[in-house]
Amino acid sequence: MLVDTGSCERILHACHHGRSENGCADCKVRLISVCSVLELTELEELEALSHHLTLDKGQTLFGQDEPAGAVFNVIEGALRLTRLLPDGRRQVMGFALPGDFLGLALQERYAVSAEALGPARTCRFGREDFAAVIEAKPHLLRSLHERAGYELNLAQEQMLLLGRRTAEEKVAAFLLSLRDRYARTGRASITVELPMGRQDMADHLGLTIETVSRILNRLDRAHAVLLVPGGVRLIDLPRLERIAAS
Amino acid sequence: MLVDTGSCERILHACHHGRSENGCADCKVRLISVCSVLELTELEELEALSHHLTLDKGQTLFGQDEPAGAVFNVIEGALRLTRLLPDGRRQVMGFALPGDFLGLALQERYAVSAEALGPARTCRFGREDFAAVIEAKPHLLRSLHERAGYELNLAQEQMLLLGRRTAEEKVAAFLLSLRDRYARTGRASITVELPMGRQDMADHLGLTIETVSRILNRLDRAHAVLLVPGGVRLIDLPRLERIAAS
DNA sequence: AGCCGCGCTTGCGCTGGATCAATGCACGGC
DNA sequence: GCCGTGCATTGATCCAGCGCAAGCGCGGCT
């Protein structure tokens, strides 16, 4: 990435870290990311430690069991978080969307692999750097811990889904939960984008690709949803909610 | 609870909080609980805020969605952590053993119900009190967050199990993971105590009680395990590990 | 001792979702 | 325009685990 050596420190920073915009202060996901708990001065401090990282579809951000060299804020796009069984069976633990924080457990090694579902942008912090910032700012740790609690909650919801729901309930619950997450990040809509493929959904819900496909099409034929390219339109929300039985 | 008003503050504390022993300093689970990160002075501080709580078999410590009025250290016994679907289907999210901390997400409401599997003892801290202590002691929050990361890891392992493992793999993996947890708390042994019933295991593994029973007995007949009253003896560890395919 | 109740086991037929296989469809490269 | 490639759909068959129901064993109670 070419850098023009300007005199303004702000611009220098931006260039040095490969940013094209003005930095954290007008970051798209600032208010929905962990950074929302930081003051402007703290934000600049953190900005000095950060790099932007762009991923193409299918690229992996980090792999399961790799030493956790960095943590990330997702700015744009969506990532798939997976674990593998030695024989190749795969479980998609979840999908990371803009505003999500990756590596919040701050552990030695990554517990999952993270792969971009499409073009994506993240904000990267070196592990050591970030650990130091946390040491100095208890409220940031507090915020991370809150997020961890939220993640734990999602994980438990998912366990209930995987262990005790039928295929149809799983799919309905998944569509609704995805809608809720989009709503949280501002994009509330009856039309839910599905950046992941059928196989990813299947591996997330503990089903096969065929079952996911059949059920989506069955819901479509029953006019509960409308399948559209790259997403689903949730036509009959009450019915979906009844099916999901949440 | 009756209190005899002694003159010694230490004894007063002990009585006031219903303790029979000398307090946190020689607590059985001190070194394996969150308290292990505290200095002796901090320990006394925390002790002043704590109550011991004894539970009988089947008693519930707290219920799902109740306002989270307190957090707990498990001292002795085992608890079952469950979530319910409106129609009564149940998922056992996990089992709490001595040294475990309940309520570590510090959220407004409990995400699960906690019920004693047998006689149990816990150490209770009021939510407000505990929040205040955390505010003053970042390293305690740090420790909680580490635990949350560990829990998240367990939850993901469980998702993989629920979504992608066969019944036999589930049971084998469960027995091994239980053995590992006991080993962590000192009680390493080839004989694994099973304080929970078959239905609890089934609801933890996403199976029916019949399937759990059948598989345990099949493993017994195959001399991979030996069923004993109240537990299992793991005879052929390598085989179990091969089955669990972890 | 005898009865009861509860948790566990076991047999048997059934079914939801897996598996296997074929086909359809959109998009990019040449 | 044509082919290749990667996903998604659809049909046909299979089987792991479920659901039901009967039987068993043990501890507690009278």
Side-chain angles (χ1 to χ4, degrees):
Chain A
M1 195 161 293
L2 296 178
V3 178
D4 72 327
T5 50
S7 58
C8 170
E9 196 192 332
R10 186 59 164 287
I11 289 173
L12 190 61
H13 260 151
C15 296
H16 180 62
H17 298 111
R19 287 203 197 83
S20 52
E21 90 284 354
N22 291 0
C24 294
D26 60 344
C27 172
K28 267 189 250 179
V29 298
R30 175 150 104 77
L31 292 174
I32 57 170
S33 74
V34 276
C35 301
S36 61
V37 298
L38 298 175
E39 308 289 340
L40 264 138
T41 59
E42 296 174 318
L43 213 53
E44 282 176 14
E45 201 177 316
L46 202 64
E47 186 173 351
L49 305 172
S50 77
H51 277 252
H52 274 203
L53 203 66
T54 304
L55 297 166
D56 295 328
K57 172 169 177 163
Q59 247 188 308
T60 110
L61 182 58
F62 51 77
Q64 182 178 359
D65 298 328
E66 276 175 16
V71 297
F72 304 86
N73 262 318
V74 180
I75 298 172
E76 208 180 337
L79 297 263
R80 182 212 300 144
L81 308 177
T82 58
R83 277 199 187 200
L84 281 177
L85 236 31
D87 66 357
R89 280 177 288 177
R90 198 180 68 152
Q91 178 71 31
V92 172
M93 309 306 313
F95 300 99
L97 299 178
D100 286 346
F101 190 86
L102 299 175
L104 64 77
L106 306 177
Q107 284 167 140
E108 287 295 320
R109 288 168 180 278
Y110 296 115
V112 295
S113 302
E115 291 134 349
L117 291 170
R121 288 197 314 130
T122 65
C123 189
R124 186 197 131 105
F125 306 94
R127 191 174 187 262
E128 304 296 330
D129 292 346
F130 196 77
V133 175
I134 279 178
E135 216 58 55
K137 305 194 191 313
H139 61 300
L140 181 55
L141 179 53
R142 197 55 221 239
S143 170
L144 278 186
H145 189 64
E146 247 164 54
R147 262 164 198 268
Y150 177 69
E151 288 294 320
L152 216 44
N153 214 47
L154 285 186
Q156 293 186 345
E157 203 55 62
Q158 188 66 8
M159 285 192 247
L160 180 51
L161 178 148
L162 289 168
R164 285 296 177 234
R165 290 177 128 111
T166 66
E168 197 179 40
E169 289 169 357
K170 285 177 178 182
V171 172
F174 172 67
L175 295 178
L176 290 172
S177 77
L178 206 51
R179 188 196 55 138
D180 288 351
R181 286 188 66 200
Y182 283 134
R184 230 169 238 267
T185 72
R187 292 174 287 167
S189 163
I190 203 97
T191 301
V192 175
E193 207 192 324
L194 294 175
M196 73 294 290
R198 297 287 188 266
Q199 185 65 60
D200 292 332
M201 287 188 237
D203 286 344
H204 184 49
L205 301 175
L207 298 170
T208 58
I209 184 173
E210 293 96 332
T211 300
V212 171
S213 179
R214 273 188 257 269
I215 287 174
L216 281 175
N217 285 287
R218 192 202 302 166
L219 289 174
D220 181 311
R221 263 173 258 127
H223 306 294
V225 307
L226 179 66
L227 290 178
V228 297
V232 211
R233 185 169 285 249
L234 308 184
I235 305 291
D236 192 343
L237 274 175
R239 177 125 67 110
L240 287 173
E241 269 152 14
R242 197 152 16 86
I243 292 172
S246 54
Chain B
M1 196 164 291
L2 296 178
V3 178
D4 72 328
T5 50
S7 58
C8 170
E9 198 193 331
R10 184 62 163 286
I11 288 173
L12 188 63
H13 260 151
C15 296
H16 179 65
H17 299 112
R19 286 204 198 83
S20 53
E21 89 286 350
N22 292 0
C24 295
D26 59 344
C27 172
K28 266 190 251 180
V29 298
R30 175 150 101 78
L31 293 174
I32 57 169
S33 74
V34 276
C35 301
S36 61
V37 300
L38 298 175
E39 308 289 340
L40 264 138
T41 59
E42 296 175 317
L43 213 53
E44 282 176 13
E45 202 177 315
L46 202 64
E47 186 173 352
L49 304 173
S50 77
H51 277 252
H52 274 203
L53 204 66
T54 303
L55 298 166
D56 295 328
K57 172 169 176 162
Q59 247 187 306
T60 111
L61 182 58
F62 52 77
Q64 182 180 357
D65 298 328
E66 276 176 17
V71 297
F72 305 86
N73 262 318
V74 180
I75 298 172
E76 208 180 336
L79 297 264
R80 182 212 300 142
L81 308 177
T82 58
R83 276 200 186 198
L84 281 177
L85 238 31
D87 66 358
R89 280 175 289 177
R90 199 178 67 150
Q91 178 71 29
V92 172
M93 311 306 313
F95 301 99
L97 299 178
D100 284 346
F101 191 86
L102 298 176
L104 65 77
L106 306 175
Q107 284 167 140
E108 287 294 320
R109 289 167 180 277
Y110 296 115
V112 295
S113 302
E115 291 134 347
L117 291 170
R121 289 197 312 132
T122 65
C123 189
R124 187 198 129 105
F125 306 93
R127 191 175 188 263
E128 304 296 330
D129 292 346
F130 196 77
V133 175
I134 278 178
E135 217 58 55
K137 304 192 192 314
H139 60 303
L140 181 56
L141 179 53
R142 197 56 222 236
S143 170
L144 277 185
H145 188 64
E146 247 164 54
R147 263 167 197 266
Y150 178 68
E151 289 294 319
L152 214 46
N153 215 47
L154 285 187
Q156 293 186 346
E157 202 57 60
Q158 188 67 8
M159 284 193 249
L160 181 50
L161 178 147
L162 289 168
R164 285 297 176 232
R165 290 175 128 111
T166 65
E168 196 179 40
E169 290 168 357
K170 285 177 178 181
V171 172
F174 172 66
L175 296 178
L176 290 172
S177 78
L178 206 51
R179 187 195 57 136
D180 288 351
R181 286 188 68 199
Y182 283 134
R184 232 168 238 268
T185 72
R187 291 174 287 167
S189 163
I190 203 96
T191 301
V192 175
E193 207 191 323
L194 295 175
M196 72 295 288
R198 297 287 188 266
Q199 185 66 59
D200 293 331
M201 287 189 238
D203 286 344
H204 184 48
L205 301 176
L207 298 170
T208 59
I209 183 173
E210 294 96 329
T211 301
V212 170
S213 179
R214 274 187 259 269
I215 285 172
L216 281 175
N217 285 286
R218 191 204 302 168
L219 290 175
D220 182 311
R221 264 175 256 123
H223 307 295
V225 306
L226 180 66
L227 289 178
V228 297
V232 211
R233 183 170 287 249
L234 308 184
I235 305 290
D236 193 343
L237 276 175
R239 177 124 67 110
L240 287 173
E241 271 153 12
R242 197 152 15 88
I243 291 171
S246 54

